[in-house]
Amino acid sequence: MNDANPIVTEADLHAYADGQLPESARARVEAFLADNPDEAAAIAGWQAQNGAIRSLFADYERARDTDPLLVTPPHTVSPRTKRWAVAAAALLVFALGAVSGHYGPALLEKPTLQLAGSDTLPKQAETAFMVYAAEVRHPVEVFADEEAHLATWLGKRLAIENLKIPTLQPLGFKLVGGRLLPVDGRPGAMFMYENQAGERLTVMVGRNTENRTTSFRFASSGNLETFYWIDGELGYAVTGEISRETLRAVAEECYRQFTS
């Protein structure tokens, strides 16, 4: 970006490309782009990529309502009890290895598998969110003030060169930090974010051991929702108790940054 113009920041450009920039600031950015054709071309590329991602997400598969881990408990159960019940059920199923795939038309290369790696991913992401998002003093192992160290440490553990930690501030979420956790028995990474209202979301990255087909899916458990996808050797999951549209926007932005 042209550093001679300090008025328009990189965050402004990302927000403009994602349609998140306030109307009052659009004219300023558009004037900047008119004078900077290289930046304008980059923005056009980002917007085209966003459109392609939205097209992929538009046909996401959602598990059927009869799936045991996605059935909403009776409304007489308190939200606190409900969350712990879901967490306990998820952990129990992992321990017994008793989950079978109940998804709609398969997007994976190996639809005959009872438990594809990408199908375990949202359950593990949900469990991690419920365990750590409620923590006040120790939600993460490494806080955001050591972001460079966090990226280097987790990148080495996951054997990912130049592991990227998504920047979600244009969407209103600030990095809290991250931690190492197991994903399918191998080292995985979880990054946590928080907005001004105190709402948190997590982004989990793990090794994909089952397939190499890029696919996007959605899963929900009560108020907890997860967008997850496979991209080559890695699987990603974005989880939170926020609106589906906000979570989708975060997932799209994470996808863009992880693949840029």
Side-chain angles (χ1 to χ4, degrees):
M1 191 177 70
N2 184 0
D3 293 333
N5 189 339
I7 298 176
V8 176
T9 67
E10 186 171 355
D12 290 333
L13 295 179
H14 286 302
Y16 179 85
D18 296 336
Q20 300 293 327
L21 195 68
E23 190 65 32
S24 59
R26 291 183 62 85
R28 170 169 53 85
V29 173
E30 289 170 353
F32 171 82
L33 294 176
D35 294 333
N36 293 270
D38 290 343
E39 295 299 326
I43 292 294
W46 293 349
Q47 291 174 327
Q49 187 180 53
N50 286 346
I53 294 170
R54 289 190 179 91
S55 178
L56 286 170
F57 270 105
D59 295 326
Y60 63 76
E61 296 293 336
R62 179 175 179 176
R64 290 198 286 263
D65 291 338
T66 53
D67 283 2
L69 290 183
L70 299 183
V71 172
T72 303
H75 293 294
T76 54
V77 179
S78 69
R80 180 185 179 92
T81 302
K82 178 165 60 178
R83 293 178 67 180
W84 279 108
V86 173
L91 291 172
L92 177 61
V93 171
F94 286 141
L96 298 178
V99 177
S100 60
H102 291 285
Y103 289 88
L107 299 179
L108 306 178
E109 286 181 348
K110 300 179 180 179
T112 57
L113 288 175
Q114 271 198 314
L115 187 61
S118 61
D119 288 337
T120 69
L121 187 63
K123 304 298 183 289
Q124 295 177 85
E126 290 168 5
T127 301
F129 179 91
M130 287 186 289
V131 170
Y132 297 115
E135 287 288 329
V136 177
R137 295 187 61 186
H138 305 289
V140 295
E141 290 181 273
V142 179
F143 283 88
D145 58 356
E146 295 185 90
E147 183 175 347
H149 164 65
L150 177 64
T152 300
W153 169 51
L154 292 179
K156 287 182 178 179
R157 293 306 308 271
L158 273 71
I160 299 175
E161 187 174 356
N162 298 322
L163 175 65
K164 298 176 182 177
I165 300 178
T167 299
L168 302 179
Q169 289 194 27
L171 298 179
F173 286 88
K174 184 177 180 180
L175 180 69
V176 175
R179 66 168 59 245
L180 180 73
L181 44 66
V183 178
D184 285 331
R186 302 175 67 179
M190 185 192 78
F191 306 116
M192 185 178 295
Y193 299 81
E194 186 176 75
N195 64 13
Q196 290 185 343
E199 296 174 316
R200 287 178 171 177
L201 61 82
T202 57
V203 178
M204 194 170 78
V205 183
R207 283 286 170 186
N208 163 40
T209 60
E210 296 295 336
N211 69 86
R212 294 294 179 267
T213 299
T214 301
S215 58
F216 296 87
R217 289 188 176 184
F218 168 79
S220 65
S221 180
N223 294 327
L224 192 60
E225 301 192 334
T226 299
F227 271 104
Y228 62 107
W229 67 96
I230 299 299
D231 191 5
E233 297 182 350
L234 299 174
Y236 304 86
V238 179
T239 305
E241 290 183 310
I242 57 178
S243 73
R244 188 180 304 179
E245 287 306 310
T246 299
L247 196 67
R248 170 186 253 170
V250 169
E252 291 174 357
E253 181 61 20
C254 287
Y255 176 85
R256 187 186 65 77
Q257 293 188 35
F258 279 130
T259 56
S260 63

